[in-house]
Amino acid sequence: MASTGEAGDPEARVLRADARRNREKLLAVAVVALSHSGGDVPLDAIAKQAGVGIGTLYRHFPTREALVEAAYRHEVDRLCAAVDELGPPMPADAALREWMQRFVDYVATKRGMAAALQSVVTSDSQLFAHTYRQIVDALNTLLGNAIAAGTIRADADADDVLRAMRGVWLVADEQHRADQAGRLLDLLMDGLRFGAVVRPGPTA
Amino acid sequence: MASTGEAGDPEARVLRADARRNREKLLAVAVVALSHSGGDVPLDAIAKQAGVGIGTLYRHFPTREALVEAAYRHEVDRLCAAVDELGPPMPADAALREWMQRFVDYVATKRGMAAALQSVVTSDSQLFAHTYRQIVDALNTLLGNAIAAGTIRADADADDVLRAMRGVWLVADEQHRADQAGRLLDLLMDGLRFGAVVRPGPTA
DNA sequence: CCCGTGAGCGGAGGAACCTCCGTTTCGGGA
DNA sequence: TCCCGAAACGGAGGTTCCTCCGCTCACGGG
């Protein structure tokens, strides 16, 4: 499977409904807040924006570092969970294309959080290795599906595609990122389609 | 030469007399404060103890980290500067013995500052390599002098002696550290004296 | 449906951080 | 010796952090 969603943690007791809601809200707000203004947002502000008391924030995330890490993991999980969401009813290549779009957005968010993530990088160097694996797995699933459906070439490699998508983000300039990235991703998709073999099946 | 004292920094403008005094006072206080109570002393307290305003502390050491590092460097410099102070009028072996005593004290201080140093270790990994060199150089000077005077064996190695002194600190227990370390260092000195050759000279 | 329990909430308040700027002091020239 | 500009001082006060504990309300059992 490509992703575990947020439920992977074995030691996490089941949270009461309100607690889970608050936690989710905090993460959502934190991601936005930390991606702007260099990540030096006071925690109080995040709590207020999330509509909870500062105490609640600290209960869920005892240190600033914990919040940053959780926020980052949350984004990665969201991205990877999308693989399941973009499932069967949708054609495999369309799913792949859509996911690519989301990946580019994810990269933008990650860049925004860079300053905030700085504080985490020292204490947990495993983090990035782990999330990288998660993402590669997700992408592999999508590629596999599309290959199986015969809509993209069989030799598509997750690492290469990942690199290409990062490139897309780098190249697209700040203002027109959405448009430019969109067109570049179309180009990339076409590249992946070139030489695809339709396996024996309904359409063959 | 074994040591550069505190004057090594090429970019340091000459400080006004009062500034230098305050800086010195702050470092002295900081060393003591940071070696006790796990190093989580409020900076305000250090400033107050040093008899200066908090503003003065921050001017000299813009971050907590800067203060910790400076305090540590200060201790190393003090230790190494002692080599010059324990100069010619004093016999080379007596100088060596005295310096060993100070080294053990230094180790104790360093241990006390361990928690505080934690914050520095990430940002400047060169620091410890550098201070290590300083100390080895200092010890080499002392050993060289004593060997030249023929009062210790010629094959004495700085690295070994350093290790031995660290051992002395480790072995001596908290309460009677001074006594025990003293006797162990005497033992170490005797070991160094064994087989010493008196070179041709006045006493030969 | 209602009740009891304890998980979860919130935010006041105390501690530490750090900046900013009016005041003091140093020290080199006249 | 006196004077003046610049260096350095100091601490009030605004900001952020984080803890602590009395209150609330979610939810499982009756």
Side-chain angles (χ1 to χ4, degrees):
Chain A
M1 278 293 91
S3 155
T4 59
E6 304 248 6
D9 211 330
E11 61 177 279
R13 263 174 311 95
V14 242
L15 289 176
R16 231 168 63 178
D18 53 347
R20 158 164 281 282
R21 253 194 326 271
N22 283 334
R23 194 184 140 78
E24 213 65 20
K25 194 77 208 303
L26 279 167
L27 284 176
V29 170
V31 167
V32 176
L34 294 173
S35 347
H36 298 349
S37 65
D40 61 348
V41 197
L43 296 185
D44 310 44
I46 293 179
K48 181 171 285 182
Q49 260 192 64
V52 305
I54 185 66
T56 300
L57 186 150
Y58 273 96
R59 196 166 332 95
H60 287 295
F61 312 102
T63 64
R64 182 185 199 88
E65 200 176 279
L67 177 61
V68 171
E69 177 178 335
Y72 175 57
R73 286 205 132 97
H74 187 69
E75 281 307 283
V76 175
D77 286 342
R78 257 176 21 114
L79 177 66
C80 292
V83 170
D84 299 332
E85 173 193 330
L86 302 172
M90 181 183 292
D93 57 343
L96 178 58
R97 177 60 182 76
E98 169 63 20
W99 193 82
M100 283 175 163
Q101 193 80 49
R102 300 198 191 184
F103 180 86
V104 172
D105 291 348
Y106 156 79
V107 173
T109 305
K110 181 175 175 182
R111 284 301 165 121
M113 292 179 68
L117 282 169
Q118 193 86 20
S119 69
V120 171
V121 83
T122 43
S123 60
D124 183 6
S125 301
Q126 303 247 59
L127 176 60
F128 295 103
H130 178 250
T131 56
Y132 177 76
R133 259 261 68 76
Q134 256 184 282
I135 288 176
V136 169
D137 288 352
L139 181 52
N140 264 325
T141 302
L142 290 165
L143 289 176
N145 291 348
I147 290 172
T151 39
I152 68 167
R153 56 206 299 176
D155 64 350
D157 177 70
D159 252 351
D160 288 345
V161 176
L162 216 49
R163 229 181 298 277
M165 290 191 297
R166 255 194 262 275
V168 166
W169 182 85
L170 278 172
V171 162
D173 54 49
E174 190 83 37
Q175 279 76 23
H176 316 86
R177 181 151 295 153
D179 295 5
Q180 296 185 357
R183 288 196 299 279
L184 289 170
L185 289 180
D186 285 339
L187 210 57
L188 176 55
M189 269 308 290
D190 288 343
L192 288 171
R193 285 198 181 94
F194 183 82
V197 216
V198 178
R199 303 275 181 78
T203 51
Chain B
M1 278 295 90
S3 153
T4 60
E6 302 246 6
D9 211 330
E11 62 177 281
R13 264 174 309 94
V14 245
L15 290 176
R16 230 168 63 177
D18 53 346
R20 160 166 281 279
R21 251 193 329 269
N22 282 334
R23 187 172 200 285
E24 212 66 18
K25 195 79 208 301
L26 279 167
L27 284 176
V29 170
V31 167
V32 175
L34 293 172
S35 345
H36 298 349
S37 65
D40 61 348
V41 196
L43 295 185
D44 312 41
I46 292 180
K48 179 171 288 181
Q49 262 192 63
V52 305
I54 186 65
T56 299
L57 187 152
Y58 274 96
R59 197 166 332 96
H60 286 294
F61 311 103
T63 65
R64 183 185 197 85
E65 202 176 279
L67 177 61
V68 171
E69 177 178 335
Y72 175 57
R73 286 204 132 97
H74 186 69
E75 280 307 281
V76 175
D77 286 342
R78 257 180 16 117
L79 178 66
C80 293
V83 170
D84 299 331
E85 173 193 332
L86 303 172
M90 183 182 291
D93 59 341
L96 178 57
R97 177 62 182 76
E98 170 62 21
W99 193 82
M100 283 176 162
Q101 192 79 50
R102 300 199 190 183
F103 181 85
V104 172
D105 291 348
Y106 157 78
V107 173
T109 305
K110 179 176 177 183
R111 285 299 165 122
M113 292 179 69
L117 283 170
Q118 193 86 21
S119 69
V120 171
V121 84
T122 43
S123 60
D124 184 7
S125 302
Q126 301 248 61
L127 176 62
F128 295 104
H130 178 251
T131 55
Y132 177 75
R133 260 261 66 78
Q134 256 183 283
I135 288 176
V136 169
D137 287 352
L139 182 52
N140 263 324
T141 302
L142 290 165
L143 289 176
N145 291 347
I147 290 171
T151 38
I152 69 168
R153 58 206 297 174
D155 64 349
D157 177 71
D159 252 350
D160 287 344
V161 175
L162 217 50
R163 230 182 297 278
M165 290 189 297
R166 256 195 261 276
V168 165
W169 182 83
L170 278 171
V171 161
D173 53 50
E174 190 83 37
Q175 280 75 23
H176 316 87
R177 181 149 295 153
D179 295 4
Q180 295 185 0
R183 286 198 299 279
L184 288 170
L185 289 179
D186 285 340
L187 211 56
L188 177 54
M189 270 306 292
D190 287 345
L192 287 170
R193 286 200 180 95
F194 183 82
V197 213
V198 178
R199 303 273 179 80
T203 51

